[in-house]
Amino acid sequence: IRDARVGMKMWVNGELPNNFTSQPKPKQSELGAMLLEKFEKVLGRGHISPGLVLSLLTAYFGVPKGLEDIRLVYDATSLGLNAALWAPSFWMPNATSAIQVVSFYTYLFNLDFGEYFLNFLNDPDICPYCGVDLSAFRSMVESQPDFKEGSNFVTWNRCFMGLCPSPY
């Protein structure tokens, strides 16, 4: 019950990162507008918010989703936090393992894990190492009630796809 209320405790198995590499600004203005819309959604839900940032973890980019939308991808693997965290292995079926049990009487469905991990609070001790650089969207960050003057950074409050313990 504590994990659901406060956040899942993560196992640190290495040195936590200290990275402040800036996120590149979007090259196209229409891409920037779509990214802004996606960030407003996660800020509005409280998944990311202003707070103490000791390392910028998450690089982000937009991937086309249909003809007129994008999926906002957070790359948590490239900046060092996953190397410092440990989680037990967690088997998730893939297409090859799933097809082995398919027969004429099998019912199949699509299970999208896109926002599933956002249901779980992040470890409060790890949140400062899950910083996101929103300097390209400064006006949006400034409108947040907990915004600290001169800061362009927010932190993840939720487990997110790409973070080592998220599937666990």
Side-chain angles (χ1 to χ4, degrees):
I1 292 176
R2 181 205 172 277
D3 289 351
R5 190 178 65 243
V6 177
M8 179 182 76
K9 188 72 178 158
M10 294 187 193
W11 293 288
V12 177
N13 193 30
E15 188 173 331
L16 292 168
N18 182 12
N19 176 42
F20 283 93
T21 304
S22 294
Q23 171 72 26
K25 292 188 178 10
K27 291 181 174 67
Q28 304 167 347
S29 60
E30 60 272 3
L31 177 61
M34 288 191 270
L35 287 171
L36 177 61
E37 181 181 323
K38 301 296 180 180
F39 277 120
E40 286 174 337
K41 182 178 175 181
V42 292
L43 274 164
R45 291 179 176 174
H47 297 161
I48 59 176
S49 64
L52 175 64
V53 174
L54 299 175
S55 183
L56 290 176
L57 161 70
T58 313
Y60 54 83
F61 53 92
V63 174
K65 181 180 171 184
L67 297 175
E68 298 184 18
D69 196 9
I70 62 167
R71 179 180 307 275
L72 185 54
V73 176
Y74 304 96
D75 182 8
T77 61
S78 64
L79 300 173
L81 182 59
N82 279 350
L85 298 177
W86 177 85
S89 62
F90 181 83
W91 181 82
M92 289 181 69
N94 59 27
T96 304
S97 61
I99 201 72
Q100 293 172 356
V101 296
V102 174
S103 73
F104 180 76
Y105 300 102
T106 304
Y107 292 95
L108 300 175
F109 67 97
N110 180 6
L111 186 59
D112 185 358
F113 283 104
E115 294 186 9
Y116 175 75
F117 301 114
L118 299 175
N119 290 311
F120 303 97
L121 292 171
N122 207 352
D123 182 347
D125 294 335
I126 298 299
C127 286
Y129 298 94
C130 298
V132 181
D133 180 9
L134 294 181
S135 56
F137 309 102
R138 185 161 175 74
S139 62
M140 176 187 62
V141 179
E142 287 176 342
S143 69
Q144 296 299 306
D146 297 331
F147 176 76
K148 292 184 177 45
E149 190 67 35
S151 175
N152 296 318
F153 306 143
V154 293
T155 186
W156 274 99
N157 302 316
R158 305 292 179 128
C159 287
F160 54 93
M161 191 61 145
L163 186 62
C164 171
S166 285
Y168 169 72

